Amino acid sequence: MSIGNSIRVRRKSLHITLQTLANQVGADAGNLSRIERGELGINENTLRKVAEALNCTPAYLYAQSDMPKTAASVRERRQPYLTTLSQVSNKSSTSSIKDFVQWFRSVAPYIHAFGGRTFVIAFGGEVVDEKQFVALSHDLNLLASLEVRLVLVHGSRPQIEKRLRRDKLSTKFVNGLRVTDDAAMEAVKEANGVIRVEIEVLLSMGLVNSPMAGSDIRVASGNFVTAMPMGVRDGVDLQHTGEVRRVDAIGIQKRLDDNELVLLSPLGYSPTGEAFNLSLEDVAVSTAVALDADKLIFLMDSEGVHNLRGELLREMTAEKAKNLLRNVTDNEQAINTSEDINYYLPAAVRACEHGVARTHLISRHIDGAIIQELFTLDGIGTMVTELSLERMRQASIGDVGGILKLIEPLEAEGFLVRRGREHIEMEIEHFYVMEHDNRIIGCAALYPFNAELTAEFACLAIDPVYRGAGRGDKLFYYCANQAKELGFKSLFCLTTRTEHWFLERGFTEQNVEKLPVEKQKLYNYQRKSKVFSKTL
């Protein structure tokens, strides 16, 4: 365990959010997140502040980081099941094979990142009832072969409804919750038992020449969830309808350490020997929080969350999700939300507020939805996170490769002056970067001229995939604010192709003689760059 991970474990045990810890120690939440992931070092001063906020000592955190690895981390690696090129299609064209190879190479970072991680995947009983679980089992087998630790939470509403109709029983709902009387509870038990067996059967398949060939999935289930009655709500006794009281995280972890897949039904048990009918989302969120899961995934009817204009939101923070839900409550006609969103989006917010890093809302109707969501850059649904995935910061030496990847195409086209790796490394303290999900998507530089109290704004570059959404503006104004904080009174830039961009942002054209003396000495009269300046 690294020092960053021991900080994360301690923080989660005290139920302190990342933003709260950042506020207490006066640090950036994004940097703290990178420290916890082991991507950024921590100095002694910051470590002392963090330890004080976590009510422990730096020595305690170091001691925790030296703890031996768990059985899960030292277990023998299983041979992954990988689809071969010949299985893709014997008749595939050369271009399609090249596309496959390119895609397969692009997923390598995700494969490295997901190994040993815990994912909680929740889906309604419709997935089994409509024969969609067969395809889902193929994706689960692939994740298992990559050593992802899987916990499945299934629903059972359609199966319960069938049994109630069969027995000519009727129940009523209060705020989306079924009033579960004695007769209905028998239908609940029967439905959950049947669906659990069906899932276990499908996960046990291992037919040759199928995606399940060679699979070795062992399923564990049991009384991992302790529940309590919900009691009387809005004047109605919900009887056997309950809510999660506690999840046996240690018991589940032991099964996961033994390479088993854990399957949970929406049922809970009480110390008094009663069983309770629970909601799928309550079990899923409570389990993800108890396990400190890396991802919580909901499979639902709609493709994700849409904004006021009907556009699919690929990602959103928990705060933005709460604002959207408030808008739905205040003006239901303004936003066309599905019933699933009204159930799962609040669950995603709750998960994020209790420490689950990412919750994904994706469609159950898309074949391979989980694979597309997890192993592609944009995904296909909506991801809800505690903190924004996009942030800006000062560059470090580890960012050189990402910066070069951004600027080299622009250098080749003549937009930017050529800079080599050594040049960037020597000037890295002048660079600022924009990150999206820990991937550098933009950069810019501020070169100081202290005598004239001015700085050169240079080397602005945005990844082509992320252009057109105002990110260049965001990075520019971030750098301008940094320049102000450093005491500079103005900015200047040299450009041959983008003069209108700077004019639109308040720059005015100047003569070369207006440049700082040291910059005038370096001016390239063959390139004939135009000079623009802006007062801060």
Side-chain angles (χ1 to χ4, degrees):
M1 186 189 297
S2 66
I3 185 67
N5 198 30
S6 66
I7 291 173
R8 183 171 187 264
V9 170
R10 178 68 177 176
R11 175 175 65 80
K12 292 295 184 68
S13 69
L14 297 175
H15 307 293
I16 299 175
T17 66
L18 198 61
Q19 188 62 59
T20 300
L21 180 60
N23 294 339
Q24 290 178 349
V25 303
D28 179 70
N31 285 338
L32 283 182
S33 178
R34 297 180 71 210
I35 289 171
E36 290 188 349
R37 295 194 303 270
E39 298 173 359
L40 186 67
I42 182 170
N43 59 49
E44 289 298 323
N45 185 44
T46 303
L47 180 60
R48 283 195 295 271
K49 291 181 180 179
V50 168
E52 183 178 354
L54 297 179
N55 196 26
C56 64
T57 64
Y60 172 83
L61 295 173
Y62 277 119
Q64 294 300 306
S65 68
D66 292 334
M67 292 288 285
K69 296 180 179 180
T70 65
S73 64
V74 298
R75 65 181 182 271
E76 183 178 359
R77 299 181 65 87
R78 297 200 304 266
Q79 177 65 31
Y81 170 83
L82 301 176
T83 305
T84 62
L85 285 174
S86 62
Q87 289 173 311
V88 174
S89 175
N90 291 329
K91 298 180 180 179
S92 295
S93 65
T94 302
S95 61
S96 64
I97 293 177
K98 288 182 178 178
D99 290 341
F100 171 78
V101 172
Q102 184 177 3
W103 173 84
F104 203 75
R105 287 171 176 166
S106 71
V107 304
Y110 300 105
I111 293 174
H112 290 303
F114 293 161
R117 303 291 185 176
T118 300
F119 294 178
V120 176
I121 302 175
F123 52 90
E126 296 85 358
V127 171
V128 176
D129 199 43
E130 298 175 17
K131 310 302 180 185
Q132 295 175 327
F133 191 81
V134 175
L136 177 59
S137 67
H138 299 166
D139 297 343
L140 297 175
N141 181 47
L142 176 58
L143 292 175
S145 71
L146 298 175
E147 295 193 333
V148 176
R149 296 153 66 89
L150 297 173
V151 178
L152 304 186
V153 182
H154 71 80
S156 54
R157 178 170 291 190
Q159 290 82 1
I160 294 172
E161 294 292 347
K162 284 182 180 180
R163 281 154 180 80
L164 291 174
R165 287 195 298 268
R166 180 198 65 190
D167 298 336
K168 298 180 180 179
L169 299 173
S170 63
T171 57
K172 63 179 180 179
F173 287 83
V174 177
N175 294 329
L177 296 170
R178 186 190 303 275
V179 178
T180 312
D181 58 20
D182 292 340
M185 192 63 198
E186 292 304 313
V188 169
K189 292 177 182 177
E190 180 184 347
N192 280 288
V194 170
I195 195 172
R196 180 181 294 181
V197 170
E198 290 185 19
I199 290 174
E200 291 177 350
V201 167
L202 293 173
L203 289 174
S204 300
M205 291 192 303
L207 295 176
V208 178
N209 297 327
S210 79
M212 296 295 287
S215 68
D216 185 27
I217 298 177
R218 294 291 174 265
V219 182
S221 57
N223 58 340
F224 296 112
V225 179
T226 301
M228 59 185 177
M230 297 195 75
V232 178
R233 301 290 176 95
D234 295 332
V236 178
D237 185 358
L238 296 176
Q239 301 185 48
H240 296 290
T241 298
E243 58 185 336
V244 177
R245 181 178 178 183
R246 183 178 64 85
V247 175
D248 182 9
I250 295 176
I252 294 176
Q253 293 283 12
K254 287 180 180 178
R255 304 305 190 281
L256 297 175
D257 289 345
D258 289 336
N259 299 329
E260 295 180 354
L261 179 152
V262 175
L263 176 63
L264 300 179
S265 298
L267 288 173
Y269 309 95
S270 73
T272 59
E274 296 177 85
F276 292 97
N277 182 24
L278 309 177
S279 69
L280 161 68
E281 52 271 20
D282 186 18
V283 176
V285 171
S286 299
T287 302
V289 171
L291 294 176
D292 195 15
D294 298 277
K295 289 184 182 293
L296 170 59
I297 302 171
F298 285 110
L299 295 173
M300 56 187 193
D301 285 325
S302 57
E303 61 178 341
V305 182
H306 296 81
N307 62 14
L308 291 167
R309 297 183 297 276
E311 301 167 336
L312 177 64
L313 299 171
R314 295 295 185 185
E315 60 191 51
M316 61 196 311
T317 62
E319 189 61 36
K320 185 175 181 180
K322 287 194 289 187
N323 290 336
L324 184 62
L325 290 169
R326 279 194 289 268
N327 288 333
V328 172
T329 303
D330 297 339
N331 186 5
E332 293 187 6
Q333 300 301 318
I335 305 175
N336 183 21
T337 58
S338 68
E339 184 181 13
D340 275 357
I341 295 300
N342 294 331
Y343 284 127
Y344 294 141
L345 189 55
V349 171
R350 177 186 159 203
C352 288
E353 290 181 337
H354 286 80
V356 179
R358 299 178 184 186
T359 300
H360 301 258
L361 308 178
I362 59 178
S363 174
R364 66 181 176 91
H365 299 292
I366 300 175
D367 187 28
I370 289 180
I371 301 303
Q372 293 183 60
E373 176 71 8
L374 297 180
F375 293 96
T376 60
L377 186 61
D378 294 327
I380 61 166
T382 300
M383 178 167 63
V384 183
T385 61
E386 179 185 359
L387 301 173
S388 174
L389 294 180
E390 202 163 282
R391 67 191 187 93
M392 288 167 284
R393 60 175 175 80
Q394 189 167 17
S396 65
I397 195 67
D399 300 320
V400 172
I403 293 173
L404 285 172
K405 187 176 180 180
L406 288 174
I407 67 176
E408 284 176 346
L410 297 177
E411 291 174 348
E413 295 177 23
F415 283 91
L416 297 177
V417 176
R418 289 191 177 274
R419 296 170 172 85
R421 176 178 287 272
E422 185 176 350
H423 190 110
I424 299 294
E425 289 177 351
M426 292 176 61
E427 298 181 343
I428 194 65
E429 72 273 12
H430 300 312
F431 276 81
Y432 297 87
V433 295
M434 174 182 283
E435 281 186 325
H436 183 278
D437 199 12
N438 302 316
R439 179 174 179 261
I440 294 177
I441 63 168
C443 69
L446 283 177
Y447 293 105
F449 292 84
N450 295 316
E452 294 86 353
L453 293 179
T454 189
E456 180 184 6
F457 179 72
C459 207
L460 175 64
I462 302 293
D463 189 312
V465 176
Y466 294 90
R467 290 175 190 168
R471 290 184 172 87
D473 277 324
K474 291 180 183 178
L475 189 52
F476 165 69
Y477 288 115
Y478 176 80
C479 290
N481 287 332
Q482 295 298 310
K484 274 200 233 180
E485 291 181 7
L486 292 171
F488 296 113
K489 302 299 183 183
S490 65
L491 290 177
F492 72 88
C493 65
L494 280 70
T495 181
T496 58
R497 306 276 192 97
T498 56
E499 58 181 283
H500 281 244
W501 192 90
F502 288 102
L503 288 172
E504 291 167 3
R505 284 148 187 83
F507 282 79
T508 57
E509 188 171 359
Q510 303 289 339
N511 294 324
V512 175
E513 291 74 19
K514 295 291 185 179
L515 290 173
V517 175
E518 290 301 317
K519 188 64 181 180
Q520 289 184 44
K521 295 177 182 178
L522 300 173
Y523 183 80
N524 186 340
Y525 284 92
Q526 290 183 330
R527 185 174 171 84
K528 294 184 179 179
S529 300
K530 292 187 177 182
V531 179
F532 295 88
S533 68
K534 175 184 174 70
T535 302
L536 296 175

